[in-house]
Amino acid sequence: MALSDERLRAALTTQLTEKELASCVIYIADRPLAAGTRLEFPQLSLVLPWEGFVAFVDLDPMANWGHACRYVLIHSETGEAKTVNAQLPPFSDRRYRWRVLHQASSVADAILAVPKS
């Protein structure tokens, strides 16, 4: 059974400080991926260690790229998370459909890399 948005959000927020949550945007791929899926992002290659979700945390959504950001891999049943630091966003890869899971109140909708659904 896949995690609900609430449990996904909880798994992700434990990976971030309160200060980061107050200024970041968290995007999540729209569906769980199979264990062993190779994720190819700019200057970063990851293998999903379990069936789960991939999230992208933009730590400074009002800055140009590259800047500090994170990818978080989340187990689809347990919520276990693995965080990987990065510098570039995933949005050039059209294999994944991203949606906003968390938007800090300080971030305007116009800043979002993908429209809110």
Side-chain angles (χ1 to χ4, degrees):
M1 173 182 215
L3 296 175
S4 66
D5 276 3
E6 183 178 308
R7 293 225 20 233
L8 283 168
R9 194 174 290 108
L12 285 159
T13 57
T14 62
Q15 304 296 307
L16 302 166
T17 66
E18 284 186 35
K19 183 178 178 181
E20 289 170 333
L21 281 170
S23 62
C24 78
V25 176
I26 301 173
Y27 301 90
I28 193 154
D30 67 340
R31 60 184 161 67
L33 303 170
T37 299
R38 179 167 296 283
L39 305 164
E40 298 289 342
F41 301 121
Q43 299 180 6
L44 183 66
S45 179
L46 303 169
V47 175
L48 196 61
W50 47 64
E51 179 180 312
F53 293 88
V54 60
F56 172 71
V57 182
D58 187 347
L59 294 168
D60 192 359
M62 291 177 256
N64 289 328
W65 290 102
H67 62 263
C69 59
R70 295 187 187 132
Y71 290 88
V72 183
L73 310 177
I74 305 160
H75 192 288
S76 64
E77 291 185 15
T78 67
E80 180 182 349
K82 177 182 175 186
T83 299
V84 179
N85 293 325
Q87 291 290 314
L88 296 170
F91 305 117
S92 61
D93 187 336
R94 300 293 179 205
R95 288 179 291 176
Y96 308 103
R97 217 170 121 217
W98 299 92
R99 63 184 176 90
V100 176
L101 187 66
H102 167 83
Q103 176 183 358
S105 60
S106 61
V107 178
D109 287 352
I111 299 296
L112 298 174
V114 297
K116 283 172 52 174
S117 50

